[in-house]
Amino acid sequence: MASVLLSVGELANVMQQKPVTLVRALMDDPVSKTPDTRTAMVLPASVDFDLDSEGSDHTTGLPHSMPSANDLAIYLGNQGITANTPIAVYDTRGIYSAPRVWWMLKALGHQDVYILNGGQPAWEKAALPVSEQQQYGKLTYQATPRPGWFANSGAVLQAINTEAQLVDARSAPRFKGEVSEPREGVRSGHMPGAFNIPFDTLLKSGHFLPVEQLKAIFDRANIDLRKPIICTCGSGVTACIIGVAALLCGATQVSVYDGSWSEWGADTQYPVVKDM
């Protein structure tokens, strides 16, 4: 498993060779309010990682903050996962919240973790088996947090006047400030100097585009993959789609602004630009 991504065929083959825990990433759509599928059949050997529940730290007042390493380790251990568990994260939508869960696991120091490209829709389209939800025994997860995966608002402020590039995954109308934000009390617009790559432009039919097409998108957006990149979005979830795409293209200095626009747009000490 050399790549971040596994196709359904690759994952099915790996599951025949060794035990793999499949992690179903769950999150309601914050813009359309469409609920995620929490009760349907799952891929075999699945456990849930719910970003709207224990998978995020809700004490920050922000929708999807990264929990402390200790809290996240407890959550994973309660799901029957250890630091040595081979993991494939998948989405009910194709690609949406799975990259965020993968990103969090990498920040926690997890090595053997991948994303199912195409998610559950691709698995079911290939006529591979699904099953009832299972319960797993509680285990102990030993976290070894790794710096650099996440950035805070201070790091973003510092980056504005450096060679670091801020890449916003929100839609163009939201980025330009042409429409109101879906969260109350959050200003419209974007960070000074930020670039816009709507996350859905990196995807097709619930899959990441091939690497050469991803590179072309970054190139058209004037993103230099050799320079540091900080990814942002509404609440730090779809920013991870940008982050994974950048890593697939060979970028090495990529972080995600955890608070994203939910924090930045709500705090008047941070500068906001609109494209008029």
Side-chain angles (χ1 to χ4, degrees):
M1 297 196 292
S3 173
V4 170
L5 302 178
L6 292 175
S7 69
V8 290
E10 289 169 336
L11 177 57
N13 288 336
V14 170
M15 291 174 69
Q16 291 180 339
Q17 298 166 19
K18 65 178 183 180
V20 179
T21 297
L22 305 189
V23 174
R24 182 173 71 158
L26 296 173
M27 182 184 131
D28 297 342
D29 190 311
V31 178
S32 69
K33 310 302 181 186
T34 304
D36 207 338
T37 306
R38 286 176 165 78
T39 56
M41 301 289 276
V42 299
L43 274 59
S46 286
V47 299
D48 284 347
F49 191 110
D50 196 333
L51 289 164
D52 291 328
S53 181
E54 292 178 79
S56 299
D57 178 3
H58 302 287
T59 65
T60 63
L62 301 170
H64 300 113
S65 296
M66 175 72 170
S68 70
N70 184 63
D71 286 349
L72 187 53
I74 291 170
Y75 182 48
L76 293 168
N78 287 343
Q79 303 293 77
I81 294 172
T82 74
N84 297 318
T85 302
I87 293 175
V89 188
Y90 73 93
D91 230 294
T92 64
R93 296 173 172 95
I95 292 291
Y96 187 70
S97 53
R100 168 72 185 194
V101 175
W102 180 88
W103 203 271
M104 294 167 71
L105 287 166
K106 296 302 289 185
L108 203 63
H110 206 98
Q111 296 295 315
D112 202 358
V113 55
Y114 303 87
I115 299 168
L116 175 58
N117 201 16
Q120 185 160 349
W123 182 272
E124 293 181 349
K125 186 176 180 181
L128 292 164
V130 293
S131 67
E132 298 279 354
Q133 190 84 38
Q134 294 175 271
Q135 294 296 319
Y136 292 86
K138 294 182 179 181
L139 298 172
T140 299
Y141 190 104
Q142 295 287 345
T144 52
R146 299 285 191 264
W149 287 91
F150 284 102
N152 60 21
S153 57
V156 175
L157 270 174
Q158 289 182 333
I160 287 175
N161 295 313
T162 71
E163 67 172 5
Q165 302 152 107
L166 304 175
V167 186
D168 195 318
R170 293 176 300 152
S171 68
R174 288 177 66 188
F175 177 82
K176 294 176 181 178
E178 296 171 347
V179 297
S180 298
E181 281 294 301
R183 295 180 177 90
E184 189 174 347
V186 177
R187 295 169 293 169
S188 299
H190 60 266
M191 299 147 190
F195 300 88
N196 184 212
I197 299 181
F199 75 89
D200 55 3
T201 63
L202 302 171
L203 309 172
K204 183 177 181 181
S205 302
H207 295 71
F208 277 97
L209 292 170
V211 168
E212 290 308 311
Q213 293 182 35
L214 294 175
K215 286 181 177 178
I217 291 171
F218 283 111
D219 188 53
R220 286 197 297 271
N222 296 314
I223 305 299
D224 187 341
L225 294 167
R226 298 167 298 180
K227 295 179 179 179
I229 294 171
I230 299 177
C231 308
T232 180
C233 61
S235 66
V237 175
T238 58
C240 297
I241 296 175
I242 302 281
V244 167
L247 294 176
L248 290 171
C249 292
T252 57
Q253 293 178 271
V254 186
S255 58
V256 165
Y257 173 23
D258 197 32
S260 279
W261 199 251
S262 296
E263 178 179 45
W264 192 277
D267 194 328
T268 54
Q269 72 172 308
Y270 301 132
V272 169
V273 175
K274 289 188 178 185
D275 293 344
M276 305 302 290

